[in-house]
Amino acid sequence: MAFTRGQAIAVALVMIGCCTNVVTLEVIIKLDRGAGNLVTCSQFILIAVEGIIVTSRFFTRSSVVPLKYYALMVTMFFSVSVLNNYALSFSIAMPLHMIFRASSLVANLILGILILKKQYPLSKYISVLLITVGISVCTVVSGSAMRSSDGESEFSFSSWLTGIGMLIFALFVSALMGVFQEVLYKEYGKQPREAMLWTHLMPLPGFLLMASNISEHMTIFSQSGTYYAACTSTTVVANQAWKTIWASTQHFPGFTGHNCVQYFMVHAD
């Protein structure tokens, strides 16, 4: 089946938005590998503020889905976001990080079978098997590459395994959240922008638990020195650009791919 013009634009924006997002994030992580919590917090604040203004009109619009369901979704979403970004502090290479985050098909299929009792054609099982083999190969190669590049003194295999464990756990929690969303969609209809608002607004108090870490890396981003004297402006611009792009990829139509995905979700029926 041929793509319509709108679908082709959506696919192009997904590619541009996601690739720009990842490249900018990698720049930030290279400047400060421990900035994951700061980046996550910035993301949540920006998207929550936009949602309050645009989606809820300063809370003058009531929620279609009961907030108790969003509270459960928030627990999963907050855990996934924090773990995915915090895993970068454990010697996880950016390409491997991207592969894990893009491998939700594996977890979705497993949980679809176990929870929703779905049945899939043989071709999907073969596809998932091949993806799993690819992820395994990339993981092994990434570990070897990190060890050889960083040296035995700097590379901690146990730390790397901890990061891998975080990514795997986040992958399955994300898939579980998808299953939960599917159940909510069947009962209340598709409310992607509303879900985006509450899943970013409700977790904000949770960042108080990471206040010291976030403050520490805010200081790193703003400090001057031999290295940062040349790179401070680049660091700040990259950080702000990433936060803006991340927020955009989940909200603003015409500029982002993620919003196009949301558009087709809403108009899928």
Side-chain angles (χ1 to χ4, degrees):
M1 182 179 67
F3 277 131
T4 64
R5 182 179 179 181
Q7 290 171 330
I9 292 174
V11 171
L13 289 176
V14 167
M15 295 299 297
I16 294 171
C18 291
C19 291
T20 305
N21 189 311
V22 169
V23 168
T24 315
L25 176 59
E26 185 167 11
V27 171
I28 296 173
I29 295 303
K30 283 184 177 180
L31 293 172
D32 180 13
R33 179 166 284 276
N37 289 332
L38 173 61
V39 169
T40 307
C41 182
S42 301
Q43 165 206 337
F44 275 60
I45 291 174
L46 283 173
I47 296 176
V49 169
E50 192 275 344
I52 291 172
I53 297 171
V54 177
T55 304
S56 72
R57 302 294 173 87
F58 296 98
F59 302 110
T60 58
R61 292 180 177 176
S62 59
S63 174
V64 176
V65 179
L67 294 183
K68 63 180 181 180
Y69 294 128
Y70 281 133
L72 179 57
M73 192 184 301
V74 159
T75 303
M76 293 184 280
F77 182 68
F78 181 75
S79 301
V80 169
S81 298
V82 171
L83 285 173
N84 275 329
N85 287 329
Y86 193 53
L88 292 168
S89 303
F90 292 84
S91 302
I92 299 295
M94 197 65 198
L96 180 62
H97 188 267
M98 292 169 56
I99 290 172
F100 265 93
R101 296 193 65 173
S103 303
S104 58
L105 176 63
V106 178
N108 287 337
L109 182 138
I110 294 174
L111 294 186
I113 295 173
L114 296 178
I115 299 176
L116 299 179
K117 308 301 181 183
K118 287 186 175 181
Q119 297 294 326
Y120 299 97
L122 179 61
S123 59
K124 286 195 175 182
Y125 289 106
I126 296 175
S127 300
V128 168
L129 176 61
L130 293 175
I131 292 173
T132 304
V133 171
I135 294 173
S136 302
V137 172
C138 289
T139 302
V140 172
V141 172
S142 175
S144 301
M146 291 292 291
R147 179 174 301 200
S148 60
S149 63
D150 291 349
E152 293 293 337
S153 60
E154 297 182 11
F155 179 81
S156 171
F157 186 69
S158 61
S159 175
W160 180 78
L161 283 179
T162 300
I164 293 297
M166 287 181 176
L167 292 178
I168 294 174
F169 182 75
L171 183 66
F172 278 91
V173 173
S174 179
L176 181 61
M177 184 174 67
V179 171
F180 184 62
Q181 283 180 310
E182 185 175 343
V183 173
L184 290 181
Y185 286 159
K186 288 180 180 179
E187 185 170 352
Y188 298 100
K190 297 174 181 177
Q191 311 293 335
R193 293 186 66 84
E194 179 183 287
M196 191 72 69
L197 165 61
W198 291 110
T199 53
H200 286 82
L201 179 61
M202 284 184 172
L204 287 180
F207 287 105
L208 293 175
L209 300 174
M210 311 169 195
S212 59
N213 178 269
I214 292 173
S215 176
E216 175 187 350
H217 291 283
M218 286 181 67
T219 302
I220 292 174
F221 267 89
S222 61
Q223 74 181 10
S224 60
T226 304
Y227 176 76
Y228 282 96
C231 298
T232 297
S233 60
T234 304
T235 304
V236 173
V237 170
N239 186 38
Q240 297 299 326
W242 185 88
K243 289 186 292 185
T244 303
I245 292 169
W246 189 281
S248 297
T249 52
Q250 304 195 53
H251 285 284
F252 302 115
F255 295 94
T256 69
H258 190 281
N259 197 79
C260 291
V261 173
Q262 290 185 346
Y263 175 86
F264 285 109
M265 285 171 59
V266 174
H267 294 80
D269 296 331

